[in-house]
C-alpha cells in the first residue's frame, strides 16, 4: 500500500508536468515559461520523502545488528540524513561513547577519537578540527549523531535501499583488537579508591566500584557497601566475605544500590527501609581468561570485577608474589581466589621482569583495590595476565537505569543464580506465575543466561488459572544473548494485566552444549540456607507441553522476573 501511494504521487506529478507543458506551449505566439512542478526543488521534494520514510519502517543494519525508527528512535532529518541516537552508538558501532561535563561527547575506537559539543559547528577527529553543518544534534531530550559522519570516520561502507527504507552498513576496517594500553583513570572513568578496613567486604567494594565505574563520567556517585553487605538475602556476616553472584542477586532484586551518604560504611548500622536509587537491569559475565573480552568490556562499559589469590590482608602487608616497588602482582599456583578487585585497564607492554614470579611474557591488567590509597600506586596495582586467578570470574554492569523505569518488580529469586536446572539437554521452558497488584502494563521480563550464545523466547499468559493456561501463551519477544549474565528483555508492546489476576511469564532458553540451561534459586549451602521457596509459583517443562511444579519436584525457585508499569486510565 505504501509503494502504491508513492507511485500514485509520482504519476500525479508527471501528469501535472505534461499537462502544464501543453497548456503553456500549445497556444500560438504565447510566452513559454518553466513549470516548477516538472522538476521539484530539493527544499520542496525532501519533506515529502522524509515524511514518508519516518512514518514507515526505517531500518538500519550495522554489522549484522538491526535498529529501527519504531524501536530505537532512528529518524531521517529534512536533509535526508539518517540520525542515530548517541546512546545506541556504543553497541551499534562497537566503540566507547561517553559524555563529559554534560556537553562533550566522545566516540572512541582503538585508533579514532571523535569529540562533539552540543550545537557546535563542527567536531574533532583525533584532535583535528572538522567542519560539519550538523554533528551532535539535540532532539527533545535525546542526542543524535549523523550516520554518514560516523560511517566515514569509523570506516564503514553502506548502501541505501530506497524501496524498503533500509540502510545496511559493514565495517571496512579491521575491528578486532584494541590499543596496547588503556587506563580508565586517564579517561576520568575510575571511581574513588576506598578502604574496606578489617572486614571481609572486598566482594561488595569490588562490585559497587565496578558499578560506579560503569556510570562514569556521566554520573559520579558513591554507593553504600554496608547496605549491600547487610541487606542482601544471604546468610553471611561481614567478616566472612562473599562473592560476585551475591552482588548480582542484590542488584537484580532491586534491594539496592543506595547512596553511601545514606548508609555510611563501618558503623555497624544499616537501614533496611532504604530503596534502590538505581535499577540494574543488565549484567554480563565474561568467560574465564577471555582477556580480549575483558579489555573490550573495560573499554566500552567500565570496570570489570574479578578476583585474585593473595596472602596479604591489607595494604600494609607483604607477599612473595608482590613487588611493592613496581606495584606488580602475580600468583601462579593451585590456590583458589580469596580477594576481589576491579580491572580498570590494561598494559600489554608491562614488563615481565617487574613481577616477583617468573611469567611467560609481558602484560598486566590495571586493577583498583579496596585497601586505601597507601597501597600500590594510589590504590592501584598491576596483575600479570599469567596470574592463575585474575580474569577467571568476571562481572561487568551493562544496563543501569533510573529507579523510575518501572513501577513494580515481580520475583521470587532473591538469592538469584544459585544453581542450574535442566532436562539433560540444551533447551527447556520455565514459567513463573505472579498476582497483579494493580491494573498494570507488563513491559519486560528479566532472567539469567548460564552460557554463551543463548537463544531465548519470552511468552506471556495474561490470565493464568492452571498449567493448561500455559498452552495459551503468546510470544512477546525473542533473540539471542552472546554472553552469560542477567538480562532484561523489553517487550515491543506491553501486555495489560488486571488487579488481582494471576499472570505468567514463560521463558524458553537454549544454551549450546548445556544440560541445565535454567538458573534457579535453592538452599544449596550455608550462604543460601535461608532461601525462601514459599514465595513463588513456578513450573518447568522439557517441550512446553507437560508442566511440573518447580518448588515441589525440584525444590527451587526459577530466576524469572517481571517488570510492570501502572496502567494509564
Amino acid at each position: 500500500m505504501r509503494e502504491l501511494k508513492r507511485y500514485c504521487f509520482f504519476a500525479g506529478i508527471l501528469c501535472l508536468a505534461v499537462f502544464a507543458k501543453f497548456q503553456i506551449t500549445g497556444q500560438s505566439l504565447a510566452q513559454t515559461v518553466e513549470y516548477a512542478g516538472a522538476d521539484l526543488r530539493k527544499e520542496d521534494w525532501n519533506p515529502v520523502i522524509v515524511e514518508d520514510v519516518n512514518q514507515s519502517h526505517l531500518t538500519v543494519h550495522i554489522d549484522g545488528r538491526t535498529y529501527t525508527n519504531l524501536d530505537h528512535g532512528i529518524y531521517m532529518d529534512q536533509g535526508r540524513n539518517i540520525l542515530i541516537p548517541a546512546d545506541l552508538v556504543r553497541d551499534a558501532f562497537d566503540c566507547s561513547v561517553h559524555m563529559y561535563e554534560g556537553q562533550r561527547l566522545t566516540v572512541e575506537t582503538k585508533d579514532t577519537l571523535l569529540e562533539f559539543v552540543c550545537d557546535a559547528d563542527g567536531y574533532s577527529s583525533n584532535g583535528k578540527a572538522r567542519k560539519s553543518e550538523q554533528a551532535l544534534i539535540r532532539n527533545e531530550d535525546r542526542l543524535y549523531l549523523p550516520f554518514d559522519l560516523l560511517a566515514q570516520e569509523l570506516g564503514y561502507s553502506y548502501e541505501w535501499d530506497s524501496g524498503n527504507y533500509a540502510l545496511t552498513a559493514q565495517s571496512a576496517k579491521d575491528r578486532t583488537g584494541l590499543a596496547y594500553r588503556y587506563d580508565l583513570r586517564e579517561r576520568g572513568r575510575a571511581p574513588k579508591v576506598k578502604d574496606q578496613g578489617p572486614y571481609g567486604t572486598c566482594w561488595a567494594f569490588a562490585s559497587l566500584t565496578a558499578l560506579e565505574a560503569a556510570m562514569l563520567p556521566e554520573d559520579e556517585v558513591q554507593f553504600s557497601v554496608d547496605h549491600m553487605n547487610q541487606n542482601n538475602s544471604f546468610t553471611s556476616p561481614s567478616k566472612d566475605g562473599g562473592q560476585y553472584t551475591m552482588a548480582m542477586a542484590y542488584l537484580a532484586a532491586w534491594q539496592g544500590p543506595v547512596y553511601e551518604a545514606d548508609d555510611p560504611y563501618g558503623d555497624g548500622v544499616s537501614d533496611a527501609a532504604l530503596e534502590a536509587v538505581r535499577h540494574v537491569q543488565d549484567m554480563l559475565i565474561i568467560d574465564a581468561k577471555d582477556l580480549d573480552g575483558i579489555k573490550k568490556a573495560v573499554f566500552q562499559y567500565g570496570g570489570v570485577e574479578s578476583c585474585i589469590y593473595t596472602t596479604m590482608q591489607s595494604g600494609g602487608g607483604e607477599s612473595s608474589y608482590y613487588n611493592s616497588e613496581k606495584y606488580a602482582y602475580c600468583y601462579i599456583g593451585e590456590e583458589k581466589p580469596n580477594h576481589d578487585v576491579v580491572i580498570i585497564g590494561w598494559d600489554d607492554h608491562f614488563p615481565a621482569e617487574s613481577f616477583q614470579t617468573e611469567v611467560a611474557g609481558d602484560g598486566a591488567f590495571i586493577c583498583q583495590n579496596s585497601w586505601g590509597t597507601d597501597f600500590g600506586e594510589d590504590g592501584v596495582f598491576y596483575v600479570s595476565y599469567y596470574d592463575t586467578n585474575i580474569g577467571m570470574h568476571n562481572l561487568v554492569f551493562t544496563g543501569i537505569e533510573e529507579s523510575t523505569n518501572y513501577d513494580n518488580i515481580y520475583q521470587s529469586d532473591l538469592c538469584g543464580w544459585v544453581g542450574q536446572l535442566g532436562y539433560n539437554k540444551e533447551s527447556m521452558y520455565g514459567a513463573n506465575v505472579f498476582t497483579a497488584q494493580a491494573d498494570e502494563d507488563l513491559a519486560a521480563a528479566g532472567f539469567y543466561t548460564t552460557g554463551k550464545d543463548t537463544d531465548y523466547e519470552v511468552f506471556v499468559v495474561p490470565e493464568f488459572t492452571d498449567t493448561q493456561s500455559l498452552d495459551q501463551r503468546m510470544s512477546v519477544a525473542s533473540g539471542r544473548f552472546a554472553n552469560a549474565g542477567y538480562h532484561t528483555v523489553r517487550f515491543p508492546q506491553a501486555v495489560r494485566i488486571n488487579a488481582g489476576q494471576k499472570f505468567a511469564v514463560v521463558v524458553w532458553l537454549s544454551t549450546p552444549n548445556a544440560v541445565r540451561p535454567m538458573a534457579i534459586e535453592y538452599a544449596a549451602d550455608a550462604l543460601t540456607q535461608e532461601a525462601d521457596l514459599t514465595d513463588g509459583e513456578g513450573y518447568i517443562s522439557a517441550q512446553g507441553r507437560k508442566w511440573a511444579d518447580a518448588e515441589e519436584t525440584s525444590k527451587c525457585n526459577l530466576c524469572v522476573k517481571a517488570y510492570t508499569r501502572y496502567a494509564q486510565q
Side-chain angles (χ1 to χ4, degrees), residues 232-455:
N232 59 67
S233 296
F234 299 86
T235 308
S236 177
S238 300
K239 62 182 178 61
D240 291 342
Q243 53 196 25
Y244 73 94
T245 53
M246 294 168 57
M248 292 182 74
Y250 163 88
L251 294 168
W254 291 1
Q255 293 173 322
V258 306
Y259 293 126
E260 167 68 13
D262 294 331
D263 194 346
Y265 182 68
D267 60 3
V269 178
S270 184
D271 185 356
L274 291 173
E275 295 184 353
V277 295
R278 297 292 188 281
H279 287 166
V280 178
Q281 302 291 154
D282 292 271
M283 299 171 266
L284 294 186
I285 295 173
I286 303 167
D287 282 357
K289 288 298 182 181
D290 181 1
L291 304 191
D292 288 339
I294 295 170
K295 292 176 182 178
K296 183 177 178 181
V298 171
F299 178 68
Q300 289 190 298
Y301 299 105
V304 172
E305 180 179 0
S306 193
C307 50
I308 61 173
Y309 168 76
T310 178
T311 56
M312 295 186 290
Q313 300 299 315
S314 66
E318 296 183 357
S319 170
S320 59
Y321 310 115
Y322 180 59
N323 182 343
S324 59
E325 293 183 0
K326 301 292 185 179
Y327 319 121
Y329 187 87
C330 181
Y331 166 78
I332 298 176
E334 300 297 323
E335 296 290 345
K336 294 181 179 180
N338 61 1
H339 184 64
D340 282 12
V341 296
V342 181
I343 299 173
I344 61 169
W346 67 87
D347 185 347
D348 292 341
H349 296 170
F350 193 84
E353 55 268 22
S354 296
F355 300 102
Q356 302 277 60
T357 306
E358 185 176 348
V359 296
D362 294 344
F365 284 119
I366 304 171
C367 297
Q368 184 165 318
N369 209 343
S370 53
W371 290 345
T373 55
D374 289 339
F375 171 77
E377 187 179 75
D378 297 322
V380 174
F381 66 128
Y382 298 79
V383 182
S384 170
Y385 293 155
Y386 299 94
D387 180 275
T388 295
N389 292 298
I390 194 70
M392 286 295 294
H393 305 283
N394 313 291
L395 175 66
V396 61
F397 299 98
T398 58
I400 308 161
E401 301 181 18
E402 296 297 326
S403 59
T404 55
N405 60 348
Y406 302 105
D407 292 314
N408 286 311
I409 181 173
Y410 290 87
Q411 59 186 335
S412 59
D413 60 317
L414 297 182
C415 289
W417 179 5
V418 175
Q420 295 169 218
L421 184 67
Y423 289 91
N424 201 34
K425 63 174 190 173
E426 294 181 348
S427 64
M428 71 172 291
Y429 288 81
N432 263 358
V433 177
F434 308 102
T435 301
Q437 299 175 10
D439 290 343
E440 297 176 272
D441 289 325
L442 178 56
F447 53 89
Y448 293 87
T449 54
T450 59
K452 293 176 68 68
D453 297 324
T454 294
D455 291 318

Side-chain angles (χ1 to χ4, degrees), residues 187-207:
R187 267 72 175 181
R189 295 171 55 197
K192 177 183 177 181
V193 172
K194 307 169 187 72
D195 192 342
Q196 69 186 72
Y199 305 107
T201 50
C202 64
W203 66 277
F205 272 100
S207 295

Side-chain angles (χ1 to χ4, degrees), residues 520-543:
I520 58 171
E521 174 202 48
Y522 71 110
D525 52 25
L527 278 175
T528 57
Q529 61 184 347
E530 295 183 4
D532 184 2
L533 300 187
T534 67
D535 62 349
E537 182 178 353
Y539 301 93
I540 54 175
S541 174
Q543 304 292 342

